[in-house]
Amino acid sequence: MNAANPVRGEAGIRIAGEMLVLRPSFAALVAAEGEIGPLFGLVERAAEGRLSLGEMVALFWHCLRERPEALTREAFGEGVAQAGLAAATPALKTLIGQILAGR
């Protein structure tokens, strides 16, 4: 998988030793919003420290640029949890910035 392209608003996250790229495309954000509700509510919860792990995983899952064939959503969520919040925060910050910028 190629590296994340910050010019396109992409972010990388390492899951189970593999670098995955998150791209907040319009289709990805619409799918995430359909599952977790309005994105501005997600941004507000994140700013207030109330964003749940499930919401973050859902956003990341929908924004995956390419999904490895064997990667299930459950395994992805476990990988995010195992990597820890410190590892996920830079990617979350990038995605939130793109949501707010409207790109």
Side-chain angles (χ1 to χ4, degrees), residues 23-39 58-59 62-63 99:
R23 178 187 293 161
S25 68
F26 176 75
L29 294 176
V30 168
E33 194 170 49
E35 179 177 341
I36 57 180
L39 295 177
L59 176 64
H62 289 292
C63 288
I99 291 166

Side-chain angles (χ1 to χ4, degrees), residues 6-92:
V7 174
R8 295 190 76 165
E10 295 176 346
I13 186 167
R14 187 167 298 283
I15 302 295
E18 185 172 356
M19 184 58 74
L20 302 176
V21 176
L22 306 173
R23 178 187 293 161
S25 68
F26 176 75
L29 294 176
V30 168
E33 194 170 49
E35 179 177 341
I36 57 180
L39 295 177
F40 283 109
L42 177 140
V43 170
E44 288 174 351
R45 289 189 299 281
E48 296 169 356
R50 297 185 305 113
L51 185 66
S52 73
L53 178 61
E55 289 174 312
M56 182 172 58
V57 167
L59 176 64
F60 286 1
W61 178 255
H62 289 292
C63 288
L64 278 172
R65 185 177 71 191
E66 297 175 24
R67 291 185 190 141
E69 196 170 306
L71 184 64
T72 65
R73 181 149 174 189
E74 182 178 351
F76 178 73
E78 285 293 325
V80 171
Q82 287 176 0
L85 290 177
T89 298
L92 180 62

